[in-house]
Amino acid sequence: MKASEFIHALHWQNIPDAVQARTKLCLLDLIGVAAGGSTTRLSRIVRDHAASEFGGAVPMLFDGRSASASGVALAAGMTIDALDGHDGYNPAKGHVGCGLLAGMLPFARGHSGAEMLAVLTTGYELGSRLAVALHATVPDYHTSGAWVAVAVAAVGSRLEGLTGEQTAHAMGIAEYHGPRSQMMRCIDTPTMLKDGSGWGAMAGVSAVRLASAGFTGAPAITFTGPAWQDLGARWLILEQYFKPYPVCRWAQAPVEGVLALRREHALASRDVAGIEIETFHEATRLAVNRPATTEEAQYSTSFPTAVAMVRGNLGPSDISDDALADPEVRRVSQHVTMRESDKANAAFPETRLARVTLNLVDGRKLTGEWCEPRWNPDAPPSEAELRAKFHDLADDILSRDRASRIEAAIDTLETTDFSALGDLLCQPISSETTLSSAK
């Protein structure tokens, strides 16, 4: 099927049952991560910025204030991205859902739930392919915002009722102005820039509004090539991974390796003198071992690995600003060494491998098996696990009652309009906290 037809012709009742179920779980997971992300300084700053600099009447996610459509997309994308716990697509080395949902929210009012679900599915199929197509055009490794901008322009055009010609212009505008920012700069020096998803969502929404007004854009070159041959036949939303931990996916295989050895040998962190990690090149560049901010902690391999060794788990509170000074976690983190592996390099990006060796204080060395992150596409989490993750993230921030009402609204979304869920998402958080105080 041609992309131009797919954008406007995919309807919820024609989507396979397994894809429908996955779409709802992706939506639930993104909203849970957004709730967690809303407690960060990053989210506070960008929501204040959107409210003051992007005047408008569109309600912002989890805020209570309003902004323009572009400002709402920027704030929502950066809020979700503020907690690095959202889904991703291995061949893209990035994330579709974060910027996609952010770019859909400004256009949601007045649409049925079934239409919003169909558009979300459409966006995952487009975004996954756009990522592969864009990366094939140039050697630079771009942030997700670069190609999410085009996916947002496509689905936003559908939601706004643009013609096929206007849609083509919107996608061309978004491709031209999408943030082709270099991801490894953020890896080497972690800051609040993150994965560019918010900026990409903003660019996509702006492109829709411009195209609707008659602004023209050059043809989008990323809608050509082999990535599009199976559109409508192969559902790439089923090939997204989910994250059990709110840190960079590249650090999650080492975390699993440490946890496996810790369980197998009944170890405590005091038993460990140092940790050696063999992994792929990009993961070795997640090199901050004494993070001073949550962003540095999320883009680190040694720090989350140390948290896993010390506490036997890894959650949002473990990488909050106030949790970064734990002396035992810091000790272990500063004794983590990383080595690049030819085996892991050859498997990347489709597979993210790591092998962990623990050097114990009694002189023994314990080496684990090569391992991958949990919740990969070939071994996805169960529905119950994803629902539990949502509540772990959302209940203490939104309240158990509000989180449960969001969950119930998503479960029946295809039978209602979007307004009930939209109202729940736009209400402010009654007791604003920071990530450091969220449980």
Side-chain angles (χ1 to χ4, degrees), residues 383-429:
E383 178 181 334
E385 286 175 316
L386 282 178
R387 289 181 184 274
K389 175 189 170 184
F390 167 76
H391 283 287
D392 285 345
L393 289 170
D395 285 4
D396 287 339
I397 296 167
L398 304 180
S399 82
R400 175 74 184 193
D401 176 68
R402 183 176 171 189
S404 295
R405 284 186 287 136
I406 289 172
E407 182 181 24
I410 293 172
D411 286 342
T412 59
L413 190 55
E414 72 272 25
T415 65
T416 65
D417 64 30
F418 189 78
S419 60
L421 177 59
D423 289 344
L424 286 166
L425 297 182
C426 295
Q427 294 169 12
I429 296 170

Side-chain angles (χ1 to χ4, degrees), residues 95 105 148 150 180 223 247 262 266 284 356 364 377 392 402:
H95 312 273
L105 289 176
V148 162
V150 188
R180 290 200 176 198
F223 277 96
V247 296
R262 189 181 189 275
T284 66
V356 171
R364 288 181 295 154
D392 285 345
R402 183 176 171 189

Side-chain angles (χ1 to χ4, degrees), residues 11 61 175 194 198 280 323 416 436:
H11 297 290
L61 177 66
E175 185 183 82
K194 304 300 285 285
F280 52 96
T416 65
S436 60

Side-chain angles (χ1 to χ4, degrees), residues 134-308:
L134 185 144
H135 282 135
T137 65
V138 287
D140 286 351
Y141 168 21
H142 293 109
T143 61
S144 300
W147 36 272
V148 162
V150 188
V152 167
V155 299
S157 294
R158 171 172 168 169
L159 291 171
E160 287 291 274
L162 270 59
T163 66
E165 182 180 1
Q166 289 173 317
T167 300
H169 282 301
M171 294 186 299
I173 296 165
E175 185 183 82
Y176 190 84
H177 288 300
R180 290 200 176 198
S181 36
Q182 299 80 39
M183 186 65 206
M184 295 311 296
R185 290 178 61 187
C186 188
I187 297 299
D188 292 336
T189 308
T191 67
M192 292 183 181
L193 292 173
K194 304 300 285 285
D195 196 31
S197 295
W199 219 262
M202 178 177 68
V205 168
S206 298
V208 172
R209 289 294 171 86
L210 286 167
S212 179
F215 200 93
T216 59
I221 62 173
T222 46
F223 277 96
T224 60
W228 299 97
Q229 294 175 358
D230 55 7
L231 181 64
R234 178 183 176 188
W235 297 92
L236 297 187
I237 194 171
L238 299 176
E239 299 180 28
Q240 312 293 310
Y241 62 75
F242 292 92
K243 286 185 178 181
Y245 314 113
V247 296
C248 181
R249 187 67 170 177
W250 302 348
Q252 299 210 9
V255 168
E256 295 298 346
V258 162
L259 290 174
L261 288 171
R262 189 181 189 275
R263 288 190 301 267
E264 180 182 355
H265 298 279
L267 296 170
S269 61
R270 64 178 178 273
D271 302 317
V272 176
I275 301 174
E276 300 174 25
I277 297 170
E278 300 167 79
T279 189
F280 52 96
H281 168 77
E282 287 80 359
T284 66
R285 288 169 65 173
L286 296 168
V288 179
N289 61 16
R290 295 188 64 181
T293 66
T294 183
E295 289 77 31
E296 291 182 353
Q298 291 176 58
Y299 283 127
S300 166
T301 296
S302 60
F303 190 83
T305 299
V307 170

